Amino acid sequence: SCFFDSFGVILLFIYVSAAVLSILLSNIKFPYAEDVISLHGYAYTVVLQPALGDYAGSLAFALLFVALNWVIGHVLYKKKIYIKI
Protein backbone atom coordinates (compact mmCIF):
# COMPACT_ATOMS: atom_id res chain seq x y z
CA SER A 1 0.00 0.00 0.00
CA CYS A 2 1.07 3.51 -0.76
CA PHE A 3 1.70 6.33 1.72
CA PHE A 4 -1.25 8.26 0.32
CA ASP A 5 -3.75 5.39 0.56
CA SER A 6 -4.06 5.98 4.30
CA PHE A 7 -4.90 9.63 3.71
CA GLY A 8 -7.25 9.01 0.81
CA VAL A 9 -9.58 6.48 2.40
CA ILE A 10 -10.38 8.30 5.64
CA LEU A 11 -9.42 11.85 4.77
CA LEU A 12 -12.23 13.59 6.65
CA PHE A 13 -11.54 11.62 9.81
CA ILE A 14 -7.84 12.51 9.66
CA TYR A 15 -8.78 16.17 9.13
CA VAL A 16 -11.00 16.15 12.22
CA SER A 17 -8.51 14.18 14.31
CA ALA A 18 -5.75 16.63 13.32
CA ALA A 19 -7.87 19.52 14.56
CA VAL A 20 -8.59 17.71 17.83
CA LEU A 21 -4.93 16.75 18.24
CA SER A 22 -3.84 20.33 17.62
CA ILE A 23 -6.21 21.58 20.32
CA LEU A 24 -4.97 18.92 22.74
CA LEU A 25 -1.30 19.74 22.09
CA SER A 26 -1.99 23.40 22.81
CA ASN A 27 -4.17 22.88 25.88
CA ILE A 28 -2.36 20.09 27.74
CA LYS A 29 0.07 21.95 29.96
CA PHE A 30 2.56 20.90 32.59
CA PRO A 31 5.08 22.65 34.83
CA TYR A 32 8.45 23.35 33.25
CA ALA A 33 11.26 25.64 34.44
CA GLU A 34 9.19 27.51 37.05
CA ASP A 35 6.42 28.11 34.51
CA VAL A 36 3.76 26.17 32.63
CA ILE A 37 4.25 25.00 29.05
CA SER A 38 2.01 23.20 26.58
CA LEU A 39 3.01 19.99 24.80
CA HIS A 40 3.24 21.98 21.56
CA GLY A 41 5.40 24.62 23.22
CA TYR A 42 7.67 22.01 24.73
CA ALA A 43 8.12 20.08 21.49
CA TYR A 44 8.94 23.22 19.53
CA THR A 45 10.64 25.57 22.00
CA VAL A 46 12.59 23.07 24.06
CA VAL A 47 13.32 20.24 21.61
CA LEU A 48 13.14 21.32 17.96
CA GLN A 49 14.01 25.03 17.91
CA PRO A 50 17.30 24.74 19.84
CA ALA A 51 18.39 21.75 17.74
CA LEU A 52 17.33 23.00 14.30
CA GLY A 53 16.71 26.75 14.53
CA ASP A 54 13.52 28.73 13.94
CA TYR A 55 12.57 27.77 10.38
CA ALA A 56 13.85 24.21 10.29
CA GLY A 57 12.40 23.58 13.77
CA SER A 58 9.02 24.82 12.62
CA LEU A 59 9.20 22.67 9.50
CA ALA A 60 10.22 19.65 11.58
CA PHE A 61 7.27 20.19 13.93
CA ALA A 62 4.87 20.43 10.99
CA LEU A 63 6.28 17.27 9.40
CA LEU A 64 6.12 15.39 12.70
CA PHE A 65 2.51 16.50 13.15
CA VAL A 66 1.59 15.26 9.68
CA ALA A 67 3.47 12.01 10.36
CA LEU A 68 1.55 11.50 13.60
CA ASN A 69 -1.74 12.00 11.80
CA TRP A 70 -0.59 9.64 9.05
CA VAL A 71 0.21 6.96 11.65
CA ILE A 72 -3.31 7.28 13.06
CA GLY A 73 -4.80 6.98 9.57
CA HIS A 74 -2.47 4.16 8.54
CA VAL A 75 -3.30 2.05 11.59
CA LEU A 76 -7.01 2.47 10.87
CA TYR A 77 -6.44 1.73 7.17
CA LYS A 78 -4.44 -1.44 7.86
CA LYS A 79 -7.13 -2.69 10.25
CA LYS A 80 -9.77 -1.84 7.62
CA ILE A 81 -11.55 0.56 9.96
CA TYR A 82 -13.28 3.13 7.80
CA ILE A 83 -14.89 6.02 9.66
CA LYS A 84 -17.39 8.10 7.74
CA ILE A 85 -18.20 11.57 8.96
Side-chain angles (χ1 to χ4, degrees):
S1 73
C2 174
F3 171 82
F4 297 106
D5 288 344
S6 302
F7 280 123
V9 173
I10 51 176
L11 182 63
L12 286 176
F13 176 76
I14 293 174
Y15 178 77
V16 171
S17 69
V20 170
L21 187 59
S22 176
I23 291 168
L24 288 175
L25 287 175
S26 297
N27 288 324
I28 296 176
K29 299 179 189 231
F30 59 94
Y32 177 77
E34 300 179 13
D35 201 6
V36 207
I37 192 168
S38 68
L39 287 175
H40 173 265
Y42 183 83
Y44 177 70
T45 308
V46 177
V47 177
L48 296 172
Q49 187 182 26
L52 302 172
D54 291 340
Y55 296 116
S58 181
L59 176 63
F61 183 84
L63 293 174
L64 288 171
F65 187 76
V66 169
L68 179 61
N69 285 290
W70 176 81
V71 167
I72 293 168
H74 190 67
V75 168
L76 293 173
Y77 177 74
K78 283 296 187 183
K79 293 185 179 218
K80 297 188 184 326
I81 300 172
Y82 305 119
I83 299 170
K84 296 181 182 180
I85 299 176

